[in-house]
């Protein structure tokens, strides 16, 4: 009895190994009719390599002025700085307000924003340059700047005599 069961299992395994695999069904193709890409949609592959993303920007300032940031420096609401979740401290980010086309370059010195749906927190000065102080929020697009900017004092690198 055991021999027949083993033979039956081996035969079933042999047939299963020789069976063809089922193919994944292809999704139906949708044709917009015109053949052109929709100009309202920004496709990731069409964006430059410096593109970081887009979303809502907010600003922070008066309540945190003078307090330490995540990078260790004191927060200055009058400087062109920002808080970003993943960008390196000292890196430069170009922020473009998609509502009015204004742009500003800021230096990342803090972590945040910690509110869902927001991509960057700007200092009060940067928000003023983007003309978003009245609303408090603005739809923005982020790009990397060409060079990394850092505010490490040069005398820290001096070799003592």
């Amino acid at each position: 009895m055991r021999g027949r069961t083993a033979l039956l299992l081996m035969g079933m395994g042999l047939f299963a190994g020789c069976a063809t695999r089922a193919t994944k069904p292809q999704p139906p193709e949708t044709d917009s009719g015109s053949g052109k890409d929709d100009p309202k949609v920004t496709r990731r592959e069409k964006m430059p390599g410096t593109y970081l993303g887009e979303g809502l920007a907010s600003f922070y300032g008066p309540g945190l002025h003078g307090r330490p940031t995540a990078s260790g420096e004191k927060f200055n609401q009058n400087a062109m700085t920002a808080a970003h979740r993943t960008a390196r401290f000292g890196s430069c980010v170009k922020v473009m307000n998609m509502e009015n086309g204004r742009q500003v370059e800021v230096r990342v010195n803090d972590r945040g924003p910690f509110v869902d749906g927001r991509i960057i927190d700007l200092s009060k000065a940067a928000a003023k340059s983007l003309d978003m102080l009245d609303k408090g929020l603005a739809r923005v697009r982020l790009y990397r700047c060409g060079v990394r900017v850092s505010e490490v004092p040069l005398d820290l690198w001096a070799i003592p005599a």
Side-chain angles (χ1 to χ4, degrees), residues 55-59 95 117-122 130 132 136-140 142:
L56 285 178
S58 56
F59 77 93
V95 183
R118 297 200 189 153
I119 192 167
I120 196 166
D121 268 341
L122 302 168
L130 292 175
M132 59 176 272
L137 296 174
R139 185 119 180 104
V140 296
L142 305 180

Side-chain angles (χ1 to χ4, degrees), residues 43-58:
R43 304 211 184 276
R44 176 69 170 136
E45 59 270 6
K46 292 184 179 182
M47 298 304 290
T50 58
Y51 176 75
L52 291 174
E54 58 186 59
L56 285 178
S58 56

Side-chain angles (χ1 to χ4, degrees), residues 6 26 40-41 66 102-103 107 122 125 129 135 144 161:
Q26 297 295 324
K40 297 179 212 161
V41 178
R102 291 187 178 206
Q103 297 179 11
R107 185 177 48 83
L122 302 168
S129 295
K135 284 185 170 182
R144 275 187 216 96

Side-chain angles (χ1 to χ4, degrees), residues 18 31 35 40 45 54 64 87 121 123 146 148:
C18 295
D31 187 21
K40 297 179 212 161
E45 59 270 6
E54 58 186 59
L64 300 173
D121 268 341
S123 66
R148 183 170 177 206

Side-chain angles (χ1 to χ4, degrees), residues 47-94:
M47 298 304 290
T50 58
Y51 176 75
L52 291 174
E54 58 186 59
L56 285 178
S58 56
F59 77 93
Y60 65 121
L64 300 173
H65 185 72
R67 295 180 64 189
T69 62
S71 66
E73 70 181 82
K74 287 186 177 181
F75 175 67
N76 181 359
Q77 68 180 355
N78 302 313
M80 294 293 195
T81 58
H84 192 270
R85 288 189 186 110
T86 58
R88 293 177 135 188
F89 292 138
S91 63
C92 178
V93 175
K94 184 194 281 186

